């Protein structure tokens, strides 16, 4: 291992990194180490080449093991075959090494109902992981997010007002206190869903905890599931026997998820500009069908203020459009009166 670590890793972490690499790879030649992400959080992620094979090393804050340890969540997900295979884990040193997945566009290999089935199987695999540490209350999280949105006042007008009004209807109808909860990833956006051409792998487990199963289902669906055939295949694969309650709760949660991501994007945009900055209030014509292709082509980036603002607007517009439908009203009525069935 002749790699000059001092030029790559923080000097105070070099001894622990050396130990980790020796334990993970023995006498393997470490020919390369590249910083993939770092600087925006306490953790940095590196691509390591050991004997010509790629791996990922996450360098986090050293910490003592607890039942809610983020490394424990990764280890459980890896053992379940849904997170990349694990090669080394040391909570005290704050280092974890996993298989590197050469990510390929998932839609190049799966489409239509086949894609829906593959994604539902992945979500189901996550939800079967044994884990008992609870997280935050989803309703309280929503209330906190929306309170911040109101304080920032980044957007105002008919669409934001309607979004907040419709959410109050959801708040009064959704079964927030349902005790049927599962281990959930809680952030299944496309950047955390990798495909190697055959299997789907999920990364970034820091926000995972026991939660409402419908949140993961809705998050995946909002990015990948379009049209009734795909939705039917998605829900059937996950639930087996699908009833009106499943369909209604799933549909309402899709709007909750859209509101969450919309507000988070708008909060990021607000942080990128001075408090007195006059944000563009134009909402008309800003829709996912237009913004999505711009993001996909790179013409618009979520790393920029403009991308965050546009995507937040598009998500809010989509949520409001869906919440003004008969299907939404019918779903809320059903949730109010229905006793939840046992999920097998």
């Amino acid at each position: 291992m002749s790699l000059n670590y001092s030029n790559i890793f923080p000097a105070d972490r070099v001894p622990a990194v050396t130990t980790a690499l020796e334990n993970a790879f023995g006498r393997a030649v470490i020919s390369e180490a590249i910083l993939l992400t770092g600087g925006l959080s306490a953790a940095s992620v590196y691509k390591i080449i050991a004997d010509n094979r790629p791996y990922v090393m996450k360098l986090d804050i050293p910490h003592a093991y607890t039942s809610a340890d983020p490394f424990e969540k990764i280890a459980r997900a890896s053992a379940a075959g849904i997170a990349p295979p694990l090669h080394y884990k040391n909570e005290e040193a704050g280092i974890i090494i996993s298989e590197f997945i050469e990510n390929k566009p998932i839609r190049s290999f799966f489409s239509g109902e086949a894609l829906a089935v593959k994604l539902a199987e992945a979500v189901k695999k996550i939800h079967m992981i044994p884990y008992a540490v609870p997280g935050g209350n989803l309703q309280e999280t929503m209330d906190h997010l929306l309170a911040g949105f109101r304080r920032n006042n980044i957007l105002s007008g008919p669409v934001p007002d309607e979004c907040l009004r419709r959410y109050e209807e959801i708040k009064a109808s959704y079964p927030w206190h349902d005790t049927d909860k599962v281990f959930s990833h809680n952030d299944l956006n496309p950047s955390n869903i990798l495909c190697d051409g055959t299997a789907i792998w999920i990364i970034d487990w820091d926000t995972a905890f026991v939660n409402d199963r419908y949140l993961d289902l809705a998050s995946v669906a909002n990015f990948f599931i379009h049209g009734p055939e795909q939705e039917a295949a998605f829900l059937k694969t996950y639930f087996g026997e699908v009833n009106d309650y499943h369909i209604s709760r799933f549909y309402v949660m899709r709007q909750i998820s859209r509101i969450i991501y919309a507000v988070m994007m708008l909060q990021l945009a607000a942080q990128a500009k001075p408090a007195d900055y006059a944000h563009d209030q134009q909402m008309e014509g800003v829709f996912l069908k237009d913004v999505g292709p711009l993001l996909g082509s790179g013409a618009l980036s979520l790393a920029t203020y403009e991308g965050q603002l546009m995507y937040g607007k598009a998500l809010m517009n989509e949520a409001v459009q869906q919440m003004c439908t008969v299907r939404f009203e019918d779903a809320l009525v059903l949730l109010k009166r229905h006793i939840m069935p046992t999920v097998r």
Side-chain angles (χ1 to χ4, degrees):
M1 294 190 185
S2 58
L3 194 65
N4 186 353
Y5 301 145
S6 62
N7 294 331
I8 302 164
F9 307 114
D12 62 327
R13 307 298 295 276
V14 169
V17 167
T18 302
T19 299
L21 294 175
E22 289 176 347
N23 279 310
F25 307 118
R27 295 182 176 276
V29 176
I30 308 298
S31 58
E32 193 173 11
I34 305 168
L35 179 65
L36 297 178
T37 63
L40 296 179
S41 68
S44 296
V45 180
Y46 299 84
K47 181 179 179 181
I48 305 292
I49 306 296
D51 275 355
N52 298 316
R53 287 193 60 188
Y55 301 87
V56 171
M57 182 174 73
K58 184 175 183 179
L59 202 58
D60 209 337
I61 298 174
H63 54 283
Y65 172 82
T66 68
S67 59
D69 193 283
F71 285 10
E72 175 67 13
K73 294 184 284 191
I74 295 173
R76 287 175 180 252
S78 179
I82 191 62
L86 194 61
H87 291 270
Y88 179 83
K89 176 173 74 80
N90 187 321
E91 300 87 1
E92 188 175 352
I95 299 175
I96 194 162
I97 300 175
S98 303
E99 198 85 11
F100 179 85
I101 304 299
E102 194 68 54
N103 191 31
K104 302 171 183 177
I106 191 170
R107 291 185 179 89
S108 298
F109 300 93
F110 308 102
S111 61
E113 293 176 36
L115 175 60
V117 168
K118 200 76 175 176
L119 290 167
E121 289 173 345
V123 176
K124 195 169 185 177
K125 193 176 287 188
I126 294 170
H127 291 176
M128 292 177 68
I129 294 172
Y131 191 79
V133 180
N137 179 282
L138 182 57
Q139 182 182 354
E140 291 176 0
T141 299
M142 286 292 297
D143 289 345
H144 176 75
L145 283 172
L146 292 175
F149 172 72
R150 292 186 182 97
R151 283 195 305 271
N152 281 337
N153 197 33
I154 186 171
L155 283 183
S156 60
V159 174
D161 289 348
E162 182 69 6
C163 182
L164 295 174
R165 188 183 75 78
R166 293 285 180 172
Y167 172 68
E168 290 302 315
E169 294 180 354
I170 292 176
K171 188 174 177 179
S173 306
Y174 193 81
W176 304 100
H177 303 295
D178 172 22
T179 58
D180 175 41
K181 300 188 186 303
V182 294
F183 181 61
S184 302
H185 183 277
N186 299 316
D187 190 19
L188 289 176
N189 69 75
S191 65
N192 291 331
I193 301 174
L194 308 183
C195 177
D196 61 11
T198 302
I200 287 177
W201 304 94
I202 308 299
I203 60 171
D204 195 357
W205 294 84
D206 288 357
T207 60
F209 52 76
V210 172
N211 204 353
D212 186 328
R213 69 175 70 241
Y214 285 86
L215 183 62
D216 277 353
L217 289 167
S219 297
V220 169
N222 285 347
F223 289 109
F224 295 100
I225 304 301
H226 310 289
E229 294 82 9
Q230 264 195 314
E231 180 179 306
F234 185 69
L235 293 178
K236 181 172 177 55
T237 301
Y238 183 87
F239 288 107
E241 294 296 325
V242 181
N243 58 42
D244 289 342
Y245 182 87
H246 296 137
I247 296 169
S248 295
R249 186 165 171 180
F250 171 70
Y251 184 66
V252 172
M253 182 58 85
R254 290 189 73 168
Q255 314 325 316
I256 295 173
S257 179
R258 286 185 174 114
I259 295 171
I260 290 172
Y261 278 98
V263 170
M264 289 176 66
M265 285 293 108
L266 294 169
Q267 296 281 53
L268 287 173
Q271 292 167 16
K273 294 292 183 179
D276 58 350
Y277 184 81
H279 304 284
D280 179 11
Q281 300 296 303
Q282 177 65 37
M283 293 289 289
E284 186 177 349
V286 185
F287 298 110
L288 285 177
K289 65 180 179 62
D290 304 312
V291 175
L294 293 176
L295 292 170
S297 68
L300 195 64
S301 170
L302 291 181
T304 66
Y305 163 79
E306 291 76 13
Q308 293 160 359
L309 183 66
M310 289 284 285
Y311 191 46
K313 287 180 177 181
L315 286 168
M316 186 169 287
N317 266 331
E318 182 68 23
V320 169
Q321 281 191 330
Q322 297 295 329
M323 291 188 293
C324 290
T325 63
V326 173
R327 181 182 178 184
F328 178 76
E329 298 290 349
D330 290 345
L332 288 186
V333 169
L334 190 148
L335 291 185
K336 280 184 178 180
R337 70 175 184 225
H338 199 281
I339 298 174
M340 182 178 177
T342 301
V343 178
R344 295 183 298 173

